[in-house]
Amino acid sequence: MVLVTGVNHKDIVRLNAHEASKIDLLLNEKKNELKSAFRNKVKKFHPDVRRDGDSSDKMIRRVIQAYEILSNFTKSEIIERECLDPFDQPECEAFDIFVNETVCIGKGCPFSCVKKAPQAFTFSSLTETARATSQGHDEDYQVQLAVGQCPRSCIHYVTPSQRIILEELLGSIMSTPYDTTAEADLLYSLIVKARFENNRYQKPKKQPKASAKHVDWF
C-alpha cells in the first residue's frame, strides 16, 4: 500500500501501487496543461505581438506571477525552464530598458535620465539611484537621448526575459548589506552578454503564405 497526500485537500487516501501510478500520470498531465497554458499566454501578451507598452509588460508579469504561484518556481527558474537562455538566444528585439543601479550616479548626475525622460525613469526612494518604471518607449526620442547621454553607460536596452532576470539579480544586490562584488560582476557580465547577443539578433522572417489556388501555366 502507498500513502498519497495532496491529491485531495480534505482526505488522505490510501491507494495501492497501481492506483498511485494513475495519480502520478494525472498530476503530470495537469503540469503539462499548466505549462502549455503558460506558453500560450506568453505568446499572446508578448511585446512583439502586443505593441502596447505598459499593458503588455503588466500582463507578462501577471502571467509569470500566476505560473510562479501554481508551479512553485521563481520567475528566473520559469524562464530557464520554459525558454532558451535569453542571454544566449534573445527571444525578441531588445526594446525594454534596464538601469544598472550599482553604477548609477543618482540624483547628482549632470545628465539625469529622470529629468530627460520622467515618463520612463524615476529615482528610488531608498537608494536615490535611477530606475526604469515603465516600458514601451523604444521609439521615444527623450528615452533614447537619456540612454545615449548616460555618463556611466548604465542604461541598457534588453529583452523582457533578460530584464526580469537582471531585475531579480539587481534587487538582491541592492537589498544585501554585505559585500556583493561578485554578484555585481555577474550582473555586469550578463549585461555585456545581452548587449552582444541583442546586437546579433535577427527578427524571424515571415514565411510567404502558400496559395491554395490552382494556376494553369499553359
Side-chain angles (χ1 to χ4, degrees):
M1 300 290 285
V2 179
L3 181 64
V4 179
T5 61
V7 177
N8 189 312
H9 293 292
K10 296 180 180 178
D11 303 308
I12 297 177
V13 185
R14 288 188 175 276
L15 303 168
N16 59 36
H18 178 66
E19 290 170 328
S21 66
K22 285 184 178 180
I23 293 296
D24 288 337
L25 288 173
L26 180 62
L27 292 176
N28 286 332
E29 286 179 9
K30 293 298 181 183
K31 288 179 181 178
N32 290 334
E33 288 176 11
L34 177 61
K35 185 182 293 185
S36 177
F38 168 72
R39 287 174 173 169
N40 289 336
K41 288 295 183 184
V42 167
K43 288 178 182 177
K44 180 179 179 180
F45 296 109
H46 198 281
D48 270 1
V49 179
R50 292 168 60 100
R51 304 288 292 170
D52 52 0
D54 279 354
S55 296
S56 177
D57 180 65
K58 288 176 182 176
M59 289 307 300
I60 282 286
R61 283 180 177 273
R62 287 178 183 176
V63 169
I64 292 177
Q65 186 178 28
Y67 188 66
E68 180 183 16
I69 292 170
L70 293 172
S71 60
N72 295 321
F73 296 138
T74 66
K75 293 181 181 69
S76 298
E77 287 173 335
I78 289 168
I79 291 168
E80 289 169 1
R81 285 172 177 268
E82 307 304 333
C83 310
L84 295 170
D85 183 346
F87 296 97
D88 279 333
Q89 292 182 284
E91 76 277 13
C92 63
E93 291 180 89
F95 289 139
D96 281 20
I97 44 180
F98 171 77
V99 181
N100 183 2
E101 297 179 45
T102 63
V103 294
C104 176
I105 297 174
K107 291 186 176 181
C109 180
F111 299 95
S112 172
C113 59
V114 177
K115 292 180 180 178
K116 287 185 184 297
Q119 70 276 22
F121 302 96
T122 191
F123 289 117
S124 167
S125 58
L126 296 176
T127 61
E128 296 190 344
T129 51
R131 62 179 50 174
T133 52
S134 66
Q135 304 297 331
H137 303 286
D138 52 287
E139 296 182 359
D140 189 321
Y141 177 70
Q142 290 302 118
V143 172
Q144 294 173 3
L145 204 61
V147 174
Q149 292 185 348
C150 176
R152 290 288 183 88
S153 299
C154 62
I155 311 174
H156 308 276
Y157 284 110
V158 295
T159 70
S161 294
Q162 291 169 351
R163 176 171 55 81
I164 288 171
I165 294 173
L166 292 173
E167 284 178 350
E168 282 199 355
L169 180 56
L170 177 66
S172 66
I173 293 171
M174 302 302 284
S175 62
T176 303
Y178 52 81
D179 181 36
T180 55
T181 304
E183 289 83 357
D185 288 343
L186 173 60
L187 180 68
Y188 177 75
S189 67
L190 287 176
I191 290 171
V192 171
K193 190 174 183 181
R195 186 190 306 163
F196 177 75
E197 294 299 338
N198 291 342
N199 287 335
R200 297 175 60 199
Y201 175 81
Q202 293 183 347
K203 202 169 184 177
K205 294 181 180 178
K206 291 184 178 180
Q207 296 295 327
K209 293 183 179 179
S211 175
K213 293 182 180 180
H214 173 72
V215 179
D216 189 355
W217 296 99
F218 302 99

